[in-house]
Amino acid sequence: MPDVLKAVEALSPSFAGRLILPSHADYHDARALHNGMIDKKPALVAQCRGAADAADAVALARSLGLDIAVRGGGHNVAGRASVDNGVVVDLSLMRSVMVDPLAKRAWVGGGALWRDFNKETQLYGLASTGGVVSSTGVAGLTLGGGFGWLMPKYGMALDNLRAVKLVLADSSVVRATRDDHPDLFWAVRGGGGNFGVAASFEFNLHDVGPMVVGGLVAHPIDRAKDVLKFFRDHTQTLSDDVFMVAALITAPDGNKAIGLAAVHSGSLSDGEKALKPVKGFGSPVLDVMGPMPYSAANMMLDESFPKGGRCYWKSNFMSTLSDAAIDTLVDQFMHNPSPLCGIVLEYFHGAATRVPVDATAYALRDQGFNVLINSQWLDKADDAKGTSWCRTTHQSLQPFVGARRYMNYYSDDDMTDAGLASAYGPNLPKLRTIKKKYDPQNLFHLNANITPA
Ligand SMILES: Cc1cc2nc3c(=O)[nH]c(=O)nc-3n(C[C@H](O)[C@H](O)[C@H](O)COP(=O)(O)OP(=O)(O)OC[C@H]3O[C@@H](n4cnc5c(N)ncnc54)[C@H](O)[C@@H]3O)c2cc1C
């Protein structure tokens, strides 16, 4: 592609980051994403060092008429952080996290991971809602919602944003806040990568830890239905201090199991009291729930999601968890094709669910169970089995699910008009109007794409 070569040569002297062409020794590492099924071959990976680099990379792609993909942490299962024959605006070199402990604020680079965020903020016993797996990107997770252990107490990740610095489609750079570009600030809090490249974020922080009570208990699979009924009933009693998850999994010894994971974000004595019923239910075969560093709580699930694992996900939201839904979940889990497959139920409640649906673009403000069918395997030969189990399980759950779905869990084939309606509901028309104002040519379309009004 001679045009790309020429454009890269022209840009090189002023570009602070790395411009990686297919001939470069690091090209294959640079194009790899978390999901090993994604095998796209971009014309250029532009690894930026700041907003100015990102503005240049966007201008280069625009001038050559190439598609733009934006990469934060590279974790999204849909794989739209890369593109065949286009330009990846890759922020993975922009991982700085600066903390003002007195003002309780953090300034975070657009390529930072949650482990970067937690490490710097926990130095001061501070935190904000982030993902439960430490290798996930701050950017993609926050722009699409962002739940985690602190969600019931402090809302979604995006509810804690004060500002986002964005490179727009015309390569101009703006800071969106409640006062500056308020329409854009509303739209990026849920609208994903539709409105520009988020070069940096400014977050509110809260006192958390550094020690909290949390962890995991597990029961044999033959107790799964009773444990899920306990989970359903116990979640109705939780205070805002506790976020809790149930997961049908295969243990490292090869036995199927049901796990309950929880974190209490208040004092240790309150945490011990609050999680006592979880530890006391039935006869767990594993109990690693107790005092632990908050940053360790955010890494305890990391090993279940190996980089390069082949992933195909589907999710839905259930406001109630009926006995029939529990039977279906357990029965379907028993047929999964790989020990890396799981079904995860995340109980959404508290502060995040008290925000009005129209306060931000993000629209999943219901209380209830976010159900993720996490199909994952290692061998390419198992692709058909892995995707088919996920689809069949998803289909079998349809009698129990509601209209709303969590966009950040979408696979590529969920990014349809129906998928957009499920993610944004009544906020979609306003999003399309704001898209028309800031990206009328739909330059940023490799995402759950909101087309301009
Ligand atoms: C193992 C695993 C665990 C997860 N755990 C959680 C969890 O606990 N809570 C939760 O809410 N979600 C979770 N998710 C889902 C997660 O929120 C999404 O996958 C999210 O998109 C990941 O963000 P990223 O920056 O790593 O993604 P990327 O793949 O880099 O980006 C995904 C999309 O976001 C947009 N984007 C990314 N960075 C930028 C940027 N700087 N500017 C503009 N647009 C950008 C682009 O459209 C891009 O296609 C998890 C996913 C995985 C794979």
Coordinates of all heavy atoms in Angstrom, one line a residue, residues 33-34 70-77 79-82 91 110-111 113 130-133 135-143 145-148 156 166 192-194 196-199 201 305 313 346 406 408-409 446-448, ligand 1:
L33 N -5.1 -9.0 19.9 CA -6.1 -8.6 20.9 C -6.2 -9.7 21.9 O -5.8 -10.8 21.7 CB -7.4 -8.2 20.3 CG -7.4 -7.0 19.3 CD1 -8.8 -6.9 18.6 CD2 -7.0 -5.7 20.0
H34 N -6.9 -9.4 23.0 CA -7.2 -10.4 24.1 C -7.9 -11.6 23.5 O -7.5 -12.8 23.8 CB -8.1 -9.7 25.2 CG -8.5 -10.7 26.2 ND1 -7.7 -11.1 27.3 CD2 -9.6 -11.4 26.4 CE1 -8.3 -11.9 28.0 NE2 -9.5 -12.2 27.5
V70 N -10.1 2.0 17.2 CA -9.5 2.6 18.4 C -9.3 1.5 19.4 O -10.2 0.7 19.7 CB -10.3 3.7 18.9 CG1 -9.6 4.4 20.1 CG2 -10.7 4.7 17.9
R71 N -8.0 1.4 19.9 CA -7.7 0.4 20.9 C -7.3 1.0 22.2 O -6.4 1.8 22.3 CB -6.5 -0.5 20.3 CG -6.1 -1.6 21.3 CD -4.7 -2.0 21.0 NE -4.2 -2.8 22.1 CZ -3.9 -4.1 22.0 NH1 -4.1 -4.7 20.9 NH2 -3.5 -4.7 23.0
G72 N -8.0 0.6 23.3 CA -7.6 1.0 24.6 C -6.8 -0.2 25.2 O -5.7 -0.4 25.0
G73 N -7.5 -1.0 26.0 CA -6.9 -2.2 26.6 C -6.9 -3.4 25.7 O -6.3 -4.4 26.0
G74 N -7.6 -3.4 24.6 CA -7.7 -4.5 23.7 C -8.5 -5.7 24.1 O -8.3 -6.8 23.6
H75 N -9.3 -5.5 25.2 CA -10.0 -6.7 25.8 C -11.3 -7.0 25.1 O -11.9 -8.1 25.4 CB -10.2 -6.4 27.3 CG -9.5 -7.3 28.2 ND1 -10.0 -7.7 29.3 CD2 -8.3 -7.7 28.1 CE1 -9.1 -8.5 29.9 NE2 -8.0 -8.5 29.2
N76 N -11.9 -6.1 24.4 CA -13.3 -6.3 24.0 C -13.4 -7.6 23.1 O -12.7 -7.7 22.1 CB -13.8 -5.1 23.2 CG -15.3 -5.1 23.1 OD1 -15.9 -5.8 22.3 ND2 -16.0 -4.4 23.9
V77 N -14.4 -8.4 23.4 CA -14.5 -9.7 22.7 C -14.9 -9.5 21.3 O -14.5 -10.3 20.4 CB -15.5 -10.6 23.5 CG1 -16.0 -11.7 22.7 CG2 -14.9 -11.1 24.8
G79 N -13.8 -7.5 19.2 CA -12.6 -7.4 18.3 C -12.7 -6.1 17.4 O -11.9 -6.1 16.4
R80 N -13.5 -5.1 17.7 CA -13.5 -4.0 16.9 C -12.4 -3.0 17.2 O -12.4 -1.8 16.7 CB -14.9 -3.3 16.9 CG -15.9 -4.3 16.4 CD -17.2 -3.6 15.9 NE -18.1 -4.6 15.2 CZ -19.2 -4.4 14.6 NH1 -19.6 -3.1 14.6 NH2 -19.9 -5.3 14.1
A81 N -11.5 -3.4 18.1 CA -10.3 -2.5 18.3 C -9.2 -2.8 17.3 O -8.1 -2.2 17.4 CB -9.8 -2.8 19.7
S82 N -9.6 -3.6 16.3 CA -8.7 -3.7 15.1 C -9.5 -3.8 13.9 O -10.7 -3.8 13.9 CB -7.8 -5.0 15.3 OG -6.8 -5.0 14.3
L91 N -3.7 3.1 21.8 CA -3.3 3.9 23.0 C -2.6 3.1 24.0 O -2.4 3.6 25.1 CB -4.6 4.6 23.6 CG -5.5 5.4 22.6 CD1 -6.5 6.2 23.3 CD2 -4.7 6.3 21.7
G110 N -5.6 7.1 28.0 CA -6.6 6.3 27.3 C -6.3 4.9 27.0 O -7.1 4.1 26.5
G111 N -5.0 4.5 27.3 CA -4.7 3.0 27.2 C -4.4 2.3 28.5 O -3.9 1.2 28.5
L113 N -4.7 0.2 31.9 CA -5.5 -0.9 32.3 C -6.0 -0.7 33.8 O -5.4 0.1 34.5 CB -4.6 -2.2 32.3 CG -3.9 -2.4 30.9 CD1 -3.1 -3.7 31.0 CD2 -4.9 -2.5 29.8
G130 N -14.2 0.0 38.9 CA -13.5 -0.5 37.7 C -13.8 -2.0 37.5 O -14.5 -2.6 38.3
G131 N -13.2 -2.6 36.5 CA -13.5 -4.0 36.1 C -12.9 -4.9 37.1 O -12.0 -4.6 37.8
V132 N -13.5 -6.1 37.1 CA -13.1 -7.2 38.1 C -11.9 -8.0 37.6 O -11.4 -8.8 38.3 CB -14.2 -8.1 38.5 CG1 -15.4 -7.3 39.1 CG2 -14.7 -9.0 37.3
V133 N -11.4 -7.8 36.3 CA -10.2 -8.4 35.8 C -9.2 -7.3 35.5 O -9.5 -6.4 34.8 CB -10.6 -9.2 34.6 CG1 -9.3 -9.8 33.9 CG2 -11.5 -10.4 34.9
S135 N -6.6 -6.9 33.8 CA -6.0 -6.6 32.5 C -7.0 -5.9 31.5 O -6.6 -5.6 30.3 CB -5.5 -7.9 31.8 OG -6.4 -8.9 31.9
T136 N -8.2 -5.6 31.9 CA -9.2 -4.9 31.1 C -8.8 -3.4 31.0 O -8.3 -2.9 32.0 CB -10.6 -5.1 31.7 OG1 -10.8 -6.5 31.9 CG2 -11.6 -4.6 30.7
G137 N -9.1 -2.8 29.9 CA -8.8 -1.4 29.6 C -9.8 -0.5 30.4 O -11.0 -0.8 30.4
V138 N -9.2 0.6 30.9 CA -10.1 1.6 31.5 C -11.0 2.2 30.5 O -12.2 2.5 30.7 CB -9.2 2.7 32.2 CG1 -10.1 3.9 32.6 CG2 -8.4 2.1 33.3
A139 N -10.5 2.5 29.3 CA -11.2 3.3 28.3 C -12.5 2.6 27.8 O -13.6 3.1 27.9 CB -10.3 3.6 27.1
G140 N -12.3 1.4 27.2 CA -13.5 0.7 26.6 C -14.5 0.4 27.7 O -15.7 0.6 27.5
L141 N -14.0 0.0 28.8 CA -14.9 -0.4 29.9 C -15.7 0.8 30.4 O -17.0 0.8 30.6 CB -14.1 -1.0 31.1 CG -14.9 -1.5 32.3 CD1 -14.4 -2.9 32.8 CD2 -14.9 -0.5 33.4
T142 N -15.0 2.0 30.6 CA -15.7 3.2 31.1 C -16.7 3.8 30.0 O -17.8 4.2 30.4 CB -14.7 4.2 31.5 OG1 -13.8 3.6 32.5 CG2 -15.3 5.5 32.1
L143 N -16.2 3.8 28.8 CA -17.1 4.5 27.8 C -18.4 3.7 27.5 O -19.3 4.2 27.0 CB -16.3 4.6 26.4 CG -15.1 5.5 26.5 CD1 -14.2 5.4 25.2 CD2 -15.5 7.0 26.7
G145 N -19.9 1.7 30.0 CA -20.6 1.5 31.3 C -19.6 1.3 32.4 O -19.1 2.2 33.0
G146 N -19.2 0.0 32.7 CA -18.2 -0.3 33.7 C -18.7 -0.6 35.0 O -18.9 0.3 35.9
F147 N -19.0 -1.9 35.3 CA -19.4 -2.3 36.6 C -18.2 -3.0 37.2 O -17.3 -3.5 36.5 CB -20.6 -3.2 36.6 CG -20.4 -4.5 36.0 CD1 -19.8 -5.6 36.7 CD2 -20.6 -4.7 34.6 CE1 -19.5 -6.8 36.2 CE2 -20.3 -6.0 34.0 CZ -19.7 -7.0 34.8
G148 N -18.2 -3.2 38.5 CA -17.2 -3.9 39.3 C -17.6 -3.9 40.7 O -18.7 -3.6 41.1
M156 N -21.6 3.2 38.3 CA -20.7 2.6 37.2 C -19.4 3.4 37.1 O -19.4 4.5 37.6 CB -21.5 2.7 35.9 CG -22.9 2.1 35.8 SD -22.9 0.3 36.0 CE -22.2 -0.2 34.5
L166 N -11.1 14.4 24.3 CA -11.4 13.6 23.1 C -10.8 14.2 21.8 O -10.8 15.4 21.7 CB -12.9 13.6 22.9 CG -13.7 12.7 23.7 CD1 -15.2 13.2 23.8 CD2 -13.8 11.3 23.1
G192 N -19.7 4.5 24.0 CA -18.5 3.8 23.6 C -17.6 4.7 22.7 O -17.4 5.8 23.0
G193 N -17.0 4.0 21.7 CA -16.0 4.8 20.9 C -16.6 5.6 19.7 O -15.9 6.0 18.8
N194 N -17.9 5.8 19.8 CA -18.6 6.5 18.7 C -18.3 7.9 18.4 O -18.5 8.5 17.4 CB -20.1 6.4 18.9 CG -20.7 5.1 18.3 OD1 -20.9 5.0 17.1 ND2 -21.0 4.2 19.2
G196 N -15.2 9.7 19.3 CA -13.9 10.2 19.1 C -12.9 9.3 19.9 O -13.3 8.3 20.5
V197 N -11.6 9.7 19.8 CA -10.6 8.9 20.6 C -10.5 9.5 22.0 O -10.1 10.7 22.0 CB -9.3 8.9 19.9 CG1 -8.2 8.1 20.6 CG2 -9.4 8.5 18.4
A198 N -10.8 8.8 23.0 CA -10.6 9.3 24.4 C -9.1 9.2 24.7 O -8.6 8.1 25.0 CB -11.5 8.6 25.3
A199 N -8.4 10.4 24.7 CA -7.0 10.4 25.0 C -6.8 10.3 26.5 O -5.8 9.7 27.0 CB -6.4 11.6 24.5
F201 N -8.8 10.6 30.7 CA -10.1 10.6 31.5 C -9.7 11.3 32.9 O -8.6 11.1 33.4 CB -10.6 9.2 31.9 CG -11.0 8.4 30.7 CD1 -10.0 7.6 30.0 CD2 -12.3 8.4 30.2 CE1 -10.3 6.9 28.9 CE2 -12.6 7.6 29.1 CZ -11.7 6.9 28.4
F305 N -9.2 -15.9 32.6 CA -9.4 -15.2 31.3 C -8.0 -15.1 30.7 O -7.5 -14.0 30.6 CB -10.0 -13.9 31.5 CG -11.4 -14.0 32.1 CD1 -11.6 -13.8 33.5 CD2 -12.5 -14.2 31.3 CE1 -12.9 -13.9 34.1 CE2 -13.8 -14.3 31.9 CZ -14.0 -14.2 33.2
W313 N -19.0 -14.5 23.4 CA -19.8 -14.2 24.5 C -21.2 -13.8 24.1 O -21.4 -13.2 23.0 CB -19.2 -13.0 25.3 CG -18.0 -13.3 26.1 CD1 -17.1 -14.4 26.0 CD2 -17.4 -12.4 27.0 NE1 -16.1 -14.2 26.9 CE2 -16.2 -13.0 27.5 CE3 -17.7 -11.1 27.6 CZ2 -15.3 -12.4 28.5 CZ3 -16.9 -10.5 28.5 CH2 -15.7 -11.2 28.9
E346 N -24.0 -11.6 37.5 CA -23.6 -10.4 38.3 C -24.8 -9.6 38.8 O -25.7 -9.3 38.0 CB -22.8 -9.5 37.4 CG -21.5 -10.2 36.8 CD -21.2 -9.9 35.4 OE1 -22.1 -9.3 34.7 OE2 -20.1 -10.3 34.9
Y406 N -26.1 -5.5 28.1 CA -24.9 -4.7 28.4 C -24.0 -4.7 27.2 O -23.4 -5.7 26.8 CB -24.2 -5.3 29.6 CG -23.0 -4.6 30.0 CD1 -23.0 -3.2 30.2 CD2 -21.8 -5.2 30.4 CE1 -21.9 -2.5 30.6 CE2 -20.7 -4.5 30.8 CZ -20.7 -3.2 30.9 OH -19.6 -2.4 31.3
N408 N -21.0 -3.7 26.5 CA -19.6 -4.1 26.6 C -19.4 -5.6 26.5 O -18.3 -6.0 26.3 CB -19.0 -3.5 27.9 CG -18.4 -2.2 27.7 OD1 -18.2 -1.7 26.6 ND2 -18.1 -1.5 28.9
Y409 N -20.5 -6.3 26.6 CA -20.4 -7.8 26.5 C -20.7 -8.3 25.1 O -20.8 -9.5 24.9 CB -21.3 -8.5 27.5 CG -20.7 -8.6 28.9 CD1 -21.5 -9.1 30.0 CD2 -19.4 -8.3 29.2 CE1 -21.0 -9.2 31.3 CE2 -18.9 -8.4 30.5 CZ -19.7 -8.9 31.5 OH -19.2 -9.0 32.8
L446 N -16.3 1.7 13.8 CA -15.9 0.4 14.3 C -16.2 0.2 15.8 O -15.3 0.3 16.6 CB -14.5 0.0 13.9 CG -14.3 -0.1 12.3 CD1 -12.9 -0.3 12.0 CD2 -15.1 -1.2 11.8
N447 N -17.5 0.0 16.1 CA -17.9 0.0 17.5 C -19.4 -0.5 17.4 O -19.8 -0.8 16.3 CB -17.8 1.3 18.1 CG -18.2 2.5 17.2 OD1 -19.2 2.4 16.5 ND2 -17.3 3.5 17.1
A448 N -20.1 -0.5 18.5 CA -21.6 -0.7 18.4 C -22.1 0.6 17.8 O -22.3 1.6 18.5 CB -22.1 -0.9 19.7
Ligands
LIG1 C1 -11.8 -10.8 30.7 C2 -12.8 -9.7 30.7 C3 -13.3 -9.2 31.8 C4 -14.2 -8.2 31.8 N1 -14.7 -7.7 33.0 C5 -15.5 -6.6 33.0 C6 -16.0 -6.1 34.2 O1 -15.7 -6.5 35.3 N2 -16.9 -5.0 34.1 C7 -17.3 -4.5 32.9 O2 -18.0 -3.5 32.9 N3 -16.9 -5.0 31.8 C8 -16.0 -6.1 31.8 N4 -15.6 -6.6 30.6 C9 -16.0 -6.0 29.3 C10 -15.3 -4.8 29.0 O3 -15.9 -3.7 29.6 C11 -15.2 -4.5 27.5 O4 -14.6 -5.6 26.9 C12 -14.4 -3.2 27.2 O5 -14.7 -2.8 25.9 C13 -12.9 -3.4 27.3 O6 -12.2 -2.2 27.2 P1 -10.8 -2.2 26.5 O7 -10.3 -0.8 26.5 O8 -9.9 -3.2 27.1 O9 -11.3 -2.7 25.0 P2 -10.7 -2.4 23.5 O10 -10.9 -3.8 22.9 O11 -9.4 -1.8 23.5 O12 -11.8 -1.4 23.0 C14 -13.2 -1.8 22.8 C15 -13.9 -0.7 22.1 O13 -13.9 0.5 22.9 C16 -13.7 1.6 22.2 N5 -12.4 2.2 22.8 C17 -11.5 1.7 23.5 N6 -10.6 2.6 23.9 C18 -11.0 3.7 23.4 C19 -10.5 5.1 23.6 N7 -9.4 5.4 24.3 N8 -11.2 6.1 22.9 C20 -12.3 5.8 22.2 N9 -12.8 4.6 22.1 C21 -12.2 3.6 22.7 C22 -13.5 1.2 20.7 O14 -14.7 1.3 20.1 C23 -13.1 -0.2 20.8 O15 -13.5 -1.0 19.7 C24 -14.6 -7.6 30.6 C25 -14.1 -8.1 29.4 C26 -13.2 -9.2 29.4 C27 -12.6 -9.7 28.1

